[in-house]
Amino acid sequence: MYSLLKIDWENAVRYNSHCEVIDEISNIFLYFLVHLAFKAKLSIGGIHMAERMVGKQAPRFEMEAVLANKEFGKVSLEENMKNDKWTVLFFYPMDFTFVCPTEITAMSDRYDEFEDLDAEVIGVSTDTIHTHLAWINTDRKENGLGQLKYPLAADTNHEVSREYGVLIEEEGVALRGLFIINPEGELQYQTVFHNNIGRDVDETLRVLQALQTGGLCPANWKPGQKTL
């Protein structure tokens, strides 16, 4: 009788130990599921888990592009960092559309001001470099771009648009996202607009200069004003 009780007791202890191990494994598995969902920006229980980007290292990229001289080449964040440059990276949905050329040409017309601030401007869509070039070679009067002073990059595999959180997956085009990255590769500013709305170049320049002060800039701060 004693031996039977002893066996039952040992079995109970062994059973409880197994339950604890299973519980621990379940907790670890759940943690990794949540972590993966967070990284992949999946929805769990109806809550969208988006990862913060500002204040972190910007996703690195290298893309084929049409350069300012109309030649094909490449642009990369690493190259800008190596040259101690700020990066103004902006996405737009598609070539040969209507709002996009107003933004792209407005940025080009003010490019010298970005250059004076040690900033490189890069425009990006999911179109090919050949489509970019055709659009650049189209006169502005015909809804083209004409000569640009900065490169247009081709994110044809959608990788960069996805990394920066602006890709409309079902359409294969990007939202109007704009990102300012400092020479150390830290993403310091981001905006994402609906594709019906064009962006303000004055505001982009204002924010770039505000970031470069390294100080505390109050609401409605303008370049030349004191920081806090």
Side-chain angles (χ1 to χ4, degrees), residues 89-106:
L89 178 71
F90 75 94
F91 295 83
Y92 65 94
M94 197 180 300
D95 292 347
F96 291 99
T97 51
F98 299 99
V99 177
C100 296
T102 65
E103 291 187 306
I104 295 167
T105 56

Side-chain angles (χ1 to χ4, degrees), residues 116-133:
D116 289 343
L117 295 169
D118 290 322
E120 295 289 348
V121 177
I122 301 172
V124 187
S125 79
T126 55
D127 298 288
T128 68
I129 52 176
H130 304 286
T131 308
H132 285 343
L133 183 58

